[in-house]
Amino acid sequence: MRQQVLVFYTKLLGRIQQPLLPHINVHRPVQKLIRLCGEVLATPTENEEIQFLCIVCAKLKQNPYLVNFFLENKLKSLASKGTADVISEDTSKGQGQDSLSTDTGQSCQPEELSGATGLEHAELDDEPPHQLDDLSTSLDNLTVTSLPEATVIRPNQDYNLVNSLLNLTRSPDGRIAVKACEGLMLLVSLPEPAAARCLTQSTCLCELLTDRLASLYKALPQSVDPLDIETVEAINWGLDSYSHKEDASAFPGKRALISFLSWFDYCDQLIKEAQKTAAVALAKAVHERFFIGVMEPQLMQTSEMGILTSTALLHRIVRQVTSDVLLQEMVFFILGEQREPETLAEISRHPLRHRLIEHCDHISDEISIMTLRMFEHLLQKPNEHILYNLVLRNLQERNYTEYKPVCPEDKDVVENGLIAGAVDLEEDPLFTDISPDNTLSNQEWLSSSPPATPDHPKNDGKTEVHKIVNSFLCLVPDEAKSSYHVEGTGYDTYLRDAHRQFRDYCAICLRWEWPGSPKALEKCNLEATFFEGHFLKVLFDRMGRILDQPYDVNLQVTSVLSRLSLFPHPHIHEYLLDPYVNLASGCRSLFSVIVRVVGDLMVRIQRIQDFTPKLLLVRKRLLGLEPEGPIIDHITLLEGVIVLEEFCKELAAIAFVKYHASSTP
């Protein structure tokens, strides 16, 4: 019989042209039918139930102001009566309650029912503005109750459209689950602010979505291999039809992992589609109830296996999130909301941020690599707060520079491309071995750029780009270079990559309205103590140990640093890519860190026999040009030298591409 009734109502609501739902004699039985849907999973009537719920959602999409009838709420009556009365009344009446208060969200007093009775006797089309006002007013009043009282009431709340749809999202039949998800998406995208408030404040939608996320996360086995988390195929919530039997690449926990990632993808898409206020409420619920309540304790634990698994899951979520509102909440969860410059004493103000940055320099290389990869993906997200919080807030005052006012006799030096007072590398004791044929001539570096245009002379004190490019290319001494023996490892390959990546970063940063030139030194507070910030401190410390770290760690550290240097902010460019910047005493820049590493390298080279042939053999093995053979002495150092040489070429290419972009009219 239920099946017949559902089919009848589905056809009636779908085909009738007149607005029937506002009539109390129609929407009351429709509500009772809604309560029957999703009560028991896998019933024979599931298909009819979801068809019926979807037609109700479609009707609400046409007339969003009807939403109040189908998202019953008792907060209003709670506000007008005493809390205790309502609770006792709710429990005594139970789900068979027939009073108008539950059906319309209006108070029980007859004289206060003007909005509801108006809807009962009049067609909505006759007086839409008046009814909308009534509805908005009644929904505005929902917020009267304070949160603790509201949560007391929610368990006794009548079953409604949201509960029915959410129950059906658990259906074993994938098609029904997807349809239920689509119905919820339709509800949250209703443009009426009143409907959005009703959904987020008067139903358990936020709690039920986040509780499902939390339970799926907790159901994951502790021992999921981080590599499996990384490599499991792209997840789409609508296509979660995984069959373990058919999967040749199955691993323990794959079903649970796909279920969790699918539901996270669904929450992300739901927030993306939702009306603005609903989106914010949903994202905040995910932040508080899932990120802080469930993920944070996992990320803060001390077990290495636990840290690795939870960081891999965080990395996966960072890669997967596409909704701006949810991304913002995730960024605040990982990094905190602070925007003032960091001090060494206060780096642990946001404990999770502090812990994650510390993990970039963890005793376990696996944890270090995983955390660095998470930060690398975070930096690619279109959110200005990420870069500002990690790096920019510490460079705003440019107090890493030593300010020397330009004297008249220094003018010609500046015009020749050298900042007054800067040390020329060719006079630096570390660089006395640079031979003239080792540097690129003016013509060569111009012709190796993808879009070759004549050099634009810079009269604003910027160091000429060829000097910067040569500074990076000549950092590693000749005897420690091995790339010129192997084809296809030249500087020009990095130019192409840098050109493409820089264009992508510029597109992301356009909306952030960054300045085109550095803040004038006269306006900077140069007296303040400079601290590069916790993130750069850990990266520079790691960079300083490049000759003693495993190859994979070095690749990841240099990858994050090159990503940072690609950002088109003048202070980042100056601090990470200008070798001629006048550093204040006690400050270090990326260039000065590399110079120290090279100094250490030149001392160590003297102690290693047949250094150059060994270096060349290691490079060929890394490129797969030579078969693996007997272990070579000092392998970590040799691999570190190769990464260092490649990194310097990459920085030279980035510096060139950025200069070229800024000088092209």
Side-chain angles (χ1 to χ4, degrees):
M1 196 61 218
R2 180 193 292 194
Q3 196 168 17
Q4 294 305 316
V5 172
L6 285 166
V7 169
F8 168 73
Y9 254 107
T10 304
K11 287 181 178 172
L12 179 70
L13 292 175
R15 294 179 188 177
I16 198 117
Q17 299 303 306
Q18 293 299 314
L20 274 185
L21 278 173
H23 293 288
I24 193 165
N25 292 334
V26 178
H27 72 245
R28 176 91 50 84
V30 167
Q31 272 176 327
K32 287 182 177 168
L33 273 178
I34 288 170
R35 287 173 203 155
L36 293 174
C37 297
E39 268 186 331
V40 183
L41 289 184
T43 60
T45 58
E46 233 180 15
N47 203 31
E48 287 75 23
E49 286 172 19
I50 197 65
Q51 299 287 356
F52 167 68
L53 292 176
C54 284
I55 205 77
V56 174
C57 288
K59 285 290 167 191
L60 293 182
K61 186 78 173 172
Q62 286 171 10
N63 303 309
Y65 40 84
L66 292 176
V67 76
N68 204 30
F69 292 136
F70 300 99
L71 304 173
E72 307 102 305
N73 145 70
K74 298 197 174 161
L75 302 184
K76 174 76 189 298
S77 47
L78 173 67
S80 49
K81 300 180 178 186
T83 313
D85 296 348
V86 175
I87 292 176
S88 59
E89 219 179 80
D90 284 353
T91 41
S92 65
K93 287 186 180 176
Q95 283 203 349
Q97 185 167 11
D98 246 351
S99 86
L100 194 60
S101 76
T102 43
D103 286 346
T104 59
Q106 310 282 342
S107 167
C108 288
Q109 283 8 347
E111 63 271 19
E112 290 179 26
L113 282 174
S114 57
T117 47
L119 287 175
E120 188 184 336
H121 297 302
E123 297 297 333
L124 271 183
D125 291 352
D126 296 345
E127 297 180 304
H130 165 69
Q131 251 105 50
L132 269 174
D133 291 345
D134 272 356
L135 182 72
S136 294
T137 321
S138 76
L139 285 165
D140 282 336
N141 293 336
L142 299 180
T143 54
V144 174
T145 2
S146 65
L147 191 62
E149 291 172 324
T151 46
V152 170
I153 291 308
R154 278 182 182 171
N156 302 308
Q157 196 176 348
D158 263 16
Y159 219 63
N160 62 33
L161 192 53
V162 171
N163 300 64
S164 298
L165 285 167
L166 267 166
N167 264 6
L168 284 168
T169 60
R170 298 169 183 268
S171 167
D173 185 333
R175 289 166 309 136
I176 285 170
V178 167
K179 268 195 163 315
C181 287
E182 286 169 351
L184 282 172
M185 209 168 261
L186 206 137
L187 285 180
V188 296
S189 66
L190 293 176
E192 297 290 313
R197 276 198 301 277
C198 191
L199 264 168
T200 51
Q201 293 168 10
S202 318
T203 75
C204 299
L205 178 65
C206 294
E207 290 87 333
L208 292 167
L209 281 172
T210 47
D211 289 351
R212 172 89 64 92
L213 204 54
S215 61
L216 287 168
Y217 184 89
K218 288 171 183 167
L220 292 169
Q222 287 295 304
S223 56
V224 182
D225 187 332
L227 192 65
D228 289 331
I229 296 171
E230 293 270 287
T231 54
V232 73
E233 54 275 8
I235 302 298
N236 184 314
W237 67 268
L239 303 170
D240 177 17
S241 55
Y242 172 69
S243 163
H244 205 81
K245 289 173 189 164
E246 295 165 18
D247 189 0
S249 63
F251 52 84
K254 185 167 186 178
R255 167 73 270 176
L257 178 63
I258 286 179
S259 295
F260 165 69
L261 292 174
S262 294
W263 192 251
F264 182 82
D265 183 54
Y266 176 65
C267 293
D268 180 41
Q269 293 303 319
L270 195 71
I271 292 168
K272 201 174 181 178
E273 296 292 323
Q275 193 267 357
K276 203 173 174 186
T277 52
V280 170
L282 286 163
K284 284 196 183 306
V286 173
H287 183 168
E288 288 159 21
R289 297 170 65 92
F290 175 64
F291 290 154
I292 293 175
V294 179
M295 284 198 86
E296 188 166 12
Q298 294 293 311
L299 291 161
M300 297 292 278
Q301 65 183 302
T302 48
S303 146
E304 282 193 11
M305 191 64 221
I307 292 170
L308 194 57
T309 307
S310 54
T311 308
L313 283 162
L314 179 67
H315 176 210
R316 180 71 199 222
I317 286 173
V318 165
R319 277 168 51 200
Q320 207 170 295
V321 72
T322 57
S323 148
D324 289 342
V325 184
L326 187 57
L327 175 63
Q328 184 69 54
E329 291 298 328
M330 179 184 278
V331 168
F332 286 160
F333 163 66
I334 295 172
L335 302 177
E337 298 182 37
Q338 290 81 22
R339 288 178 73 87
E340 65 281 359
E342 290 175 77
T343 60
L344 200 50
E346 286 194 346
I347 53 174
S348 54
R349 254 181 79 184
H350 187 76
L352 180 64
R353 175 187 191 272
H354 180 256
R355 182 69 66 92
L356 286 170
I357 292 174
E358 287 286 299
H359 285 171
C360 293
D361 197 356
H362 198 274
I363 192 163
S364 152
D365 292 332
E366 275 189 290
I367 289 176
S368 296
I369 291 168
M370 184 59 72
T371 315
L372 283 162
R373 290 182 70 181
M374 190 278 295
F375 276 112
E376 185 179 3
H377 273 101
L378 196 61
L379 286 165
Q380 294 169 53
K381 290 289 174 182
N383 186 298
E384 183 268 349
H385 184 71
I386 298 168
L387 196 74
Y388 195 89
N389 178 285
L390 285 172
V391 177
L392 275 178
R393 58 175 165 156
N394 306 304
L395 308 180
Q396 284 301 90
E397 295 301 320
R398 293 177 73 196
N399 45 349
Y400 46 83
T401 58
E402 195 165 45
Y403 179 47
K404 291 182 180 174
V406 179
C407 313
E409 60 268 23
D410 285 335
K411 279 270 166 59
D412 55 332
V413 187
V414 173
E415 280 163 17
N416 287 337
L418 271 177
I419 294 173
V423 181
D424 191 335
L425 280 180
E426 279 141 33
E427 292 163 21
D428 191 301
L430 278 175
F431 295 93
T432 44
D433 64 331
I434 292 176
S435 55
D437 55 313
N438 193 17
T439 60
L440 286 169
S441 73
N442 236 0
Q443 278 316 106
E444 280 173 344
W445 62 258
L446 272 174
S447 59
S448 60
S449 150
T453 59
D455 182 21
H456 293 264
K458 286 282 182 180
N459 299 320
D460 56 359
K462 266 193 182 178
T463 316
E464 280 180 44
V465 72
H466 73 274
K467 284 186 177 293
I468 292 177
V469 169
N470 281 333
S471 302
F472 281 114
L473 290 179
C474 304
L475 259 175
V476 178
D478 264 7
E479 58 266 40
K481 285 184 175 174
S482 54
S483 62
Y484 54 89
H485 293 295
V486 181
E487 272 189 40
T489 55
Y491 157 69
D492 51 339
T493 54
Y494 286 107
L495 272 171
R496 280 190 291 276
D497 286 346
H499 188 70
R500 179 179 47 78
Q501 289 175 330
F502 183 61
R503 197 178 53 224
D504 294 344
Y505 275 93
C506 286
I508 292 174
C509 305
L510 265 180
R511 294 175 295 163
W512 303 344
E513 295 174 358
W514 279 346
S517 54
K519 187 176 175 182
L521 281 171
E522 304 81 52
K523 295 178 183 173
C524 292
N525 176 15
L526 297 176
E527 299 308 307
T529 316
F530 175 67
F531 173 49
E532 62 254 28
H534 194 193
F535 188 57
L536 279 181
K537 176 188 181 299
V538 167
L539 289 175
F540 284 178
D541 291 349
R542 278 260 168 196
M543 191 65 214
R545 302 200 300 271
I546 193 168
L547 301 177
D548 304 296
Q549 286 172 162
Y551 179 68
D552 291 342
V553 173
N554 285 337
L555 283 182
Q556 199 52 59
V557 171
T558 53
S559 180
V560 174
L561 282 165
S562 65
R563 291 244 175 242
L564 280 174
S565 56
L566 275 161
F567 280 97
H569 192 287
H571 296 172
I572 285 182
H573 184 83
E574 178 178 58
Y575 186 59
L576 294 181
L577 289 176
D578 190 349
Y580 295 95
V581 68
N582 245 350
L583 286 176
S585 66
C587 296
R588 58 182 180 169
S589 67
L590 180 55
F591 191 79
S592 74
V593 170
I594 299 174
V595 166
R596 281 207 176 84
V597 171
V598 171
D600 179 28
L601 171 65
M602 291 170 85
V603 173
R604 293 209 214 176
I605 285 176
Q606 313 304 323
R607 303 183 197 146
I608 299 174
Q609 275 189 334
D610 303 325
F611 178 80
T612 309
K614 282 179 181 172
L615 186 67
L616 192 58
L617 180 60
V618 170
R619 179 180 277 273
K620 284 181 174 173
R621 279 188 185 176
L622 286 172
L623 289 168
L625 301 174
E626 285 277 333
E628 288 299 319
I631 294 169
I632 302 169
D633 298 340
H634 311 286
I635 184 78
T636 305
L637 171 78
L638 294 165
E639 287 177 342
V641 173
I642 290 165
V643 174
L644 184 66
E645 184 190 349
E646 295 304 309
F647 184 49
C648 289
K649 287 194 289 190
E650 190 172 11
L651 291 176
I654 293 169
F656 179 83
V657 166
K658 286 176 89 171
Y659 170 86
H660 194 80
S662 67
S663 60
T664 306

